[in-house]
Amino acid sequence: MRSQLSIRPTEFTTPTDLYDHLPTFPDTSSGLQTLKRDGHLLAVLSNGTGSMIGSCLANHDLRDVFSVLISADDVGAYKPSGLVYRYAAKILGRPIDELRLISSNPFDVIGAKTAGMRTAWINRAGTSFDSIGAPPDITTASLTDLREVLRGRQTPTPNRAQ
C-alpha cells in the first residue's frame, strides 16, 4: 500500500519564492554601494523575470544600488545567448565593448565576453575558470577586491589553468 504525502499551502514554497530570498555574500551590499559611489552605473542583467529581479533586490534592500534592471525574459532568449548581452547594451545606450559584466558564473562571463563585453569573474570558490571559453578580463575573489582592482590599487587574481 502506498502512503500519501500531503502538504499544507503554508508549507509549500515555489522556486521563485526561494529566489526572492537568496542569501547575499557578506561583501555584496558594501561592494555594490562602493562601486556606485565610485561612479559606476550599475545594472542587473538576469535570466529572471522583471518581477523576480525586483523582489529579490527589494528583499535585500539593494534596489537603490542599481540604475537599470534588465531581464533576459524581455528578449525571449537567455544567457549565455549573445542576444541578451547585445540587448543590455541597447537598453543602456552604450557600445557593448564599453560595458563590463560582473558575475560569479563562468557561463555568464563566457557569454558576455563572446558577445564583446569586458568581463570580471568573482571567483569566490577559488577554483579554475571553465576552459570552454575565453578567460575573463579580471578575476577577483570578491566585490571588494574588484573595487580595488578597478581603482588601480590591487592586481587581479590570476586565472588558474585547469
Side-chain angles (χ1 to χ4, degrees), residues 103-121:
S103 181
S104 59
N105 298 313
F107 82 88
D108 204 357
V109 171
I110 291 167
K113 186 140 178 98
T114 301
M117 280 186 176
R118 293 180 287 170
T119 57
W121 180 44

Side-chain angles (χ1 to χ4, degrees), residues 116-162:
M117 280 186 176
R118 293 180 287 170
T119 57
W121 180 44
I122 308 301
N123 182 10
R124 295 186 185 278
T127 59
S128 296
F129 192 74
D130 198 321
S131 63
I132 64 169
D137 301 310
I138 298 172
T139 298
T140 65
S142 68
L143 285 171
T144 305
D145 290 347
L146 176 63
R147 177 189 72 217
E148 294 305 307
V149 169
L150 293 175
R151 286 178 170 177
R153 296 181 185 167
Q154 183 175 318
T155 57
T157 306
N159 291 314
R160 297 175 10 198
Q162 288 212 6

Side-chain angles (χ1 to χ4, degrees), residues 2-63:
R2 291 175 46 184
S3 63
Q4 196 171 25
L5 176 68
S6 74
I7 300 174
R8 290 176 279 188
T10 56
E11 297 173 321
F12 182 73
T13 303
T14 67
T16 54
D17 292 335
L18 296 173
Y19 181 88
D20 288 349
H21 298 282
L22 289 172
T24 61
F25 288 95
D27 68 320
T28 299
S29 182
S30 62
L32 292 171
Q33 292 286 353
T34 304
L35 287 169
K36 183 177 180 176
R37 277 195 304 274
D38 284 355
H40 299 284
L41 174 95
L42 302 182
V44 171
L45 176 59
S46 173
N47 280 339
T49 65
S51 63
M52 289 170 68
I53 297 166
S55 294
C56 186
L57 294 176
N59 286 328
H60 294 292
D61 201 25
L62 291 172
R63 179 57 189 98

Side-chain angles (χ1 to χ4, degrees), residues 73-87:
D73 199 47
D74 296 339
V75 181
Y78 297 93
K79 300 187 290 179
S81 169
L83 294 172
V84 176
Y85 306 101
R86 288 189 291 277
Y87 176 70

